[in-house]
Amino acid sequence: MESRDNVKGIAARFAVWSARHRALAIIGWLVFVVGVTVLSGQAGMIEAGSKDFGNGESGRADRVVEQAGFPVQGAGEMIIITAEKGPAPEVIREVTEAVQATGATEPVAAPLTSEDGKSVLLTFTVRGDPETAKDRIQPVLDAVAGVQRAHPELYIAEAGDASGDKLIGDELDERLNRLSMLSIPVTLGILLVAFGAIVAALLPVGLAVTAVVGAVGLLAYASHLAPAVDTTMHVMLLVGLAVGVDYCLFYIRRERDERRAGVDPHRALVIAAQTSGRSIWVSGLTVIVAMAGMFLTRDTTFVSFAVGTILVVATAVLGSLTVLPALLSALGDRVDLGRIPGLYRKRSGNRVWGAFLRLVLKRPLISAVLAVIALGALAAPALDLRTKGEGVEDLSPSAPITQAFLAIQAAFPGGTGPARVVVKAPAVTGTEWDAAVAEFKRQALATGRLHEPVTVEVNPAGTVAVVSVGLSGTGSDRASEEALAALRGTVIPATLAGYPDAWVGVTGDTAGSEDFNDQLAGSMPLVFGFVLGLAFLLLLVSFRSVVVAATGVVLNLLSVAAAYGMLVFVFQYGHFESLLDFRAADGITNWMPLFLFVILFGLSMDYHVFVVSRIREGHDRGLPTRQAVTEGITATAGVITSAAAVMVAVFALFATLPLVSTKELGVGLAAAVLLDATIVRAVLLPATMALLGERNWWLPRWLGWLPEVSHDVPAQTPQTRDLVTSVRS
């Protein structure tokens, strides 16, 4: 019969139940995944719309415009024509006629000439719904390309909302989908090398994929409370594959190790549940806490990421603690079916790691100092970290549409991303309004940072006006920020702010980016404090040690700092530009530091909890700390290496995408995981714990009330033998 005194902990009790009712557990998991997916189609996914985005003044301005009843405008497009002595009038006419002959556009506006006279800009809108304009822009692109072929001595190119969506958005979506599909066989290939057996390699992939599918179904319901952004599912796949594979690796490897040591199959399952299973739910809870920090940003994108990642981690933990034990119980030793010659090993111990670890522990102080110096050197560039909004320069510099955007920006500063000054008043018509706009235009152009064209749109009710003005720079660089500061801080207060009973706000790409930065800067201390504080408390309760909790937090911060430094070194300082196909900018994408922090902190805790749990297990058996460290890290080195290889390979795929932000994400995550699995876990952690000795387990007396959590392998007793017999039957 079952004895709860000998089967301790949530993970072990789940495992025993699943082993006893394996058919129910397996079928139940499949019904859950399929059922949630099918029902989510009926519930529908609520996607975030324009009203859900925006921060600060720019966000309010966008909402004022949205509610003002402006006619729906078509997607805007621009064509630049450049010649050494300026384009001839007949060429301008030829381009105009070719565009209008497609029937897909409204009339082309009068041409604008650049200050140097070498370029002309034609602007127009695409007829119909701007959301679907990309589906109707191809004939226009073909027409422009035809004129370019007829005049090879000129530069004629098109860029805009519809062409950008088609040539950039569609390509990005296609490559993201391809990457998502590619990540699964890449993961499977690494697991085949790690396990050397086909069935054992398929289990983690199968569980991770079904966990992601189930979590996406749950996201549909959650989106009714917090609308989802379109990239959330890609982030869920990224995180779901990482944690799902990790958890299965931890569990399967421990069960296989116990089995190969001669332990009874079902007792091996109980041992795996009470050790690796416990580490899984502690790690999962820590990852969830890290992801929950994104809620504090109050930003729609981050909130959507938080909901999605929490759901996929929770689903992966549930699957690892329920259906995985059932599958292992049902398969038994058949989990090693499909052994691959040359890869399958009966023991998971790694002699290379063992020899390296002995070298580290022979001189722990020197090893720790060298590791800290290495991480410090990698982190040093982070002291110069700056952030910026996303702009045209973040696209692949080799893409024709990127070159078109940059050419337009160079010839017509501010033309591609103007500031939009929104004025809400009882009346924005009449001579007084015209005088205010004229004075605004005069003072704006006098700054030298604000440029033509200056245009004015008024809503049908005559109560809201949008005054557009060009900004210097690219829209996301320092010149644009300085132009925006002049607009907000000098021009508007001296002009439109004095218009009777008016509320004035600035929106546009640059303003939105600055307001987003300001809100993010205000929330980052809260996010960091929340994640670090709760992670410390979770480690403290799990290991009953202030020292283990503190070192865990510090080591993970070192990994994050090194990742920040590498991002600055590559993307801000411009190393490996040709290899990664990007153009260096004067900052890192503004949302990247916070997102990397929560993701890396959560994933690093995966390794930390698993490794330290194995070390604590040896200590609880009576081993000296140094011997427990040697045994724990040697025993986990193989699985940590395999898990890190999966993460590095999957994350590195993101560096192949066309946007700089996705390259930053891929390089940052891959580099940090690699450093964490090598320098941090293989050198700094064992060296630090060896130096601290028994002080690792120090707990103040006033915290003695914390619950005792056993990390030791349960002893075989008559009650557990009865339990094994009942499970077998």
Side-chain angles (χ1 to χ4, degrees):
M1 64 180 198
E2 182 175 346
S3 172
R4 289 184 178 270
D5 294 332
N6 293 291
V7 180
K8 298 179 180 179
I10 297 172
R13 288 172 182 166
F14 272 147
V16 168
W17 184 91
S18 296
R20 279 185 163 182
H21 309 88
R22 48 198 179 210
L24 180 59
I26 295 169
I27 294 172
W29 174 257
L30 294 175
V31 168
F32 162 71
V33 172
V34 174
V36 165
T37 304
V38 172
L39 293 176
S40 68
Q42 298 179 357
M45 184 83 72
I46 304 298
E47 295 189 0
S50 57
K51 69 180 186 305
D52 299 305
F53 294 97
N55 302 282
E57 179 184 296
S58 59
R60 181 181 175 187
D62 286 336
R63 289 187 286 274
V64 168
V65 172
E66 188 174 359
Q67 297 166 8
F70 280 94
V72 176
Q73 293 186 339
E77 288 290 303
M78 300 170 288
I79 298 173
I80 185 171
I81 310 171
T82 302
E84 185 60 33
K85 296 182 180 180
E90 55 269 22
V91 175
I92 299 173
R93 187 166 52 253
E94 183 179 352
V95 173
T96 302
E97 291 173 353
V99 168
Q100 293 185 336
T102 64
T105 74
E106 299 295 343
V108 177
L112 295 173
T113 304
S114 62
E115 290 184 5
D116 62 8
K118 294 181 178 181
S119 299
V120 164
L121 186 69
L122 301 177
T123 60
F124 58 91
T125 59
V126 181
R127 287 176 177 167
D129 185 355
E131 297 296 325
T132 60
K134 67 177 182 180
D135 300 327
R136 301 184 299 279
I137 195 62
Q138 190 60 53
V140 182
L141 292 169
D142 293 340
V144 173
V147 180
Q148 170 68 93
R149 286 193 299 272
H151 300 277
E153 73 282 4
L154 306 178
Y155 177 70
I156 305 173
E158 179 180 352
D161 297 332
S163 54
D165 283 346
K166 181 172 185 61
L167 301 178
I168 300 170
D170 284 359
E171 180 192 3
L172 181 61
D173 289 342
E174 179 185 345
R175 293 177 69 170
L176 271 172
N177 291 330
R178 193 188 312 149
L179 181 148
S180 298
M181 294 300 100
L182 182 61
S183 62
I184 295 173
V186 167
T187 300
L188 181 60
I190 294 172
L191 292 177
L192 285 172
V193 175
F195 283 112
I198 295 174
V199 173
L202 285 171
L203 282 181
V205 175
L207 188 137
V209 170
T210 53
V212 171
V213 172
V216 169
L218 294 174
L219 179 66
Y221 295 97
S223 69
H224 290 261
L225 300 175
V229 299
D230 53 5
T231 52
T232 300
M233 284 182 280
H234 295 293
V235 174
M236 290 175 70
L237 177 64
L238 183 80
V239 175
L241 268 182
V243 298
V245 168
D246 275 9
Y247 296 160
C248 285
L249 272 170
F250 299 163
Y251 210 113
I252 295 172
R253 182 68 78 186
R254 185 56 187 268
E255 191 270 347
R256 290 288 83 199
D257 286 349
E258 295 298 329
R259 187 73 188 97
R260 289 161 186 160
V263 176
D264 178 277
H266 299 287
R267 175 163 165 72
L269 187 61
V270 172
I271 292 173
Q274 291 197 209
T275 53
S276 294
R278 178 191 169 280
S279 298
I280 287 169
W281 73 259
V282 172
S283 171
L285 190 57
T286 309
V287 176
I288 287 172
V289 164
M291 303 305 172
M294 289 188 281
F295 284 124
L296 299 178
T297 64
R298 292 172 289 113
D299 176 77
T300 298
T301 300
F302 278 120
V303 168
S304 179
F305 285 172
V307 172
T309 52
I310 287 172
L311 287 174
V312 78
V313 171
T315 308
V317 170
L318 178 64
S320 299
L321 299 184
T322 56
V323 70
L324 180 59
L327 288 168
L328 290 175
S329 176
L331 289 169
D333 291 337
R334 287 171 296 181
V335 75
D336 287 333
L337 284 176
R339 298 176 185 179
I340 303 173
L343 295 178
Y344 181 79
R345 296 179 298 276
K346 290 210 174 249
R347 295 283 178 180
S348 62
N350 191 305
R351 287 179 292 180
V352 175
W353 278 114
F356 181 77
L357 189 59
R358 286 193 294 273
L359 181 63
V360 169
L361 295 180
K362 186 177 181 180
R363 296 286 188 270
L365 181 59
I366 295 175
S367 299
V369 169
L370 290 176
V372 170
I373 290 174
L375 290 172
L378 291 171
L383 297 173
D384 190 33
L385 189 151
R386 297 185 296 273
T387 60
K388 67 173 193 65
E390 293 187 83
V392 176
E393 68 277 7
D394 292 319
L395 302 172
S396 171
S398 59
I401 191 168
T402 305
Q403 296 169 0
F405 269 121
L406 293 174
I408 294 170
Q409 285 180 340
F412 302 90
T416 60
R420 305 174 72 221
V421 182
V422 179
V423 182
K424 183 179 182 181
V428 287
T429 55
T431 56
E432 186 176 8
W433 168 251
D434 293 340
V437 171
E439 180 62 16
F440 168 83
K441 180 177 180 179
R442 186 188 69 78
Q443 292 199 27
L445 298 180
T447 64
R449 294 189 173 97
L450 302 169
H451 306 280
E452 292 275 15
V454 178
T455 61
V456 182
E457 299 174 75
V458 178
N459 71 332
T463 56
V464 176
V466 178
V467 183
S468 297
V469 58
L471 299 175
S472 296
T474 64
S476 60
D477 59 1
R478 289 184 180 179
S480 299
E481 293 171 0
E482 291 171 356
L484 179 66
L487 178 63
R488 280 178 163 174
T490 304
V491 178
I492 290 176
T495 57
L496 297 177
Y499 190 74
D501 301 321
W503 177 86
V504 183
V506 182
T507 185
D509 293 340
T510 304
S513 177
E514 181 169 287
D515 293 342
F516 175 77
N517 276 343
D518 290 343
Q519 179 162 318
L520 210 58
S523 63
M524 281 186 76
L526 294 175
V527 175
F528 275 63
F530 174 84
V531 173
L532 295 176
L534 281 186
F536 178 87
L537 290 176
L538 282 170
L539 291 175
L540 176 63
V541 172
S542 299
F543 296 101
R544 298 190 86 249
S545 168
V546 172
V547 176
V548 167
T551 54
V553 169
V554 171
L555 293 181
N556 286 326
L557 283 176
L558 284 173
S559 295
V560 173
Y564 285 175
M566 295 184 74
L567 283 182
V568 173
F569 180 78
V570 175
F571 295 100
Q572 195 170 303
Y573 293 168
H575 295 89
F576 311 111
E577 278 184 314
S578 58
L579 178 65
L580 294 173
D581 190 24
F582 75 97
R583 181 177 308 203
D586 60 354
I588 303 302
T589 305
N590 48 18
W591 54 268
M592 192 61 59
L594 187 144
F595 186 66
L596 276 181
F597 168 74
V598 295
I599 295 290
L600 288 177
F601 200 88
L603 296 181
S604 295
M605 276 297 178
D606 249 6
Y607 298 156
H608 191 76
V609 169
F610 183 62
V611 174
V612 176
S613 293
R614 197 66 182 262
I615 294 171
R616 183 60 187 261
E617 182 184 318
H619 178 269
D620 288 353
R621 292 203 314 269
L623 297 178
T625 297
R626 185 168 295 205
Q627 186 178 345
V629 169
T630 303
E631 183 181 290
I633 292 184
T634 302
T636 57
V639 69
I640 292 294
T641 302
S642 301
V646 170
M647 287 196 195
V648 169
V650 172
F651 294 156
L653 292 174
F654 276 73
T656 65
L657 294 175
L659 291 181
V660 168
S661 57
T662 58
K663 295 179 188 295
E664 290 173 352
L665 184 64
V667 170
L669 289 173
V673 169
L674 184 61
L675 291 172
D676 192 74
T678 53
I679 296 178
V680 175
R681 304 300 157 203
V683 180
L684 193 52
L685 174 63
T688 302
M689 295 192 76
L691 288 170
L692 291 170
E694 291 302 312
R695 289 181 293 245
N696 282 292
W697 319 112
W698 177 72
L699 184 74
R701 289 184 179 179
W702 59 273
L703 289 176
W705 54 270
L706 290 174
E708 291 278 356
V709 181
S710 174
H711 293 260
D712 195 7
V713 176
Q716 179 83 341
T717 66
Q719 288 86 353
T720 53
R721 278 195 295 270
D722 290 342
L723 175 59
V724 166
T725 302
S726 69
V727 170
R728 280 174 171 166
S729 61

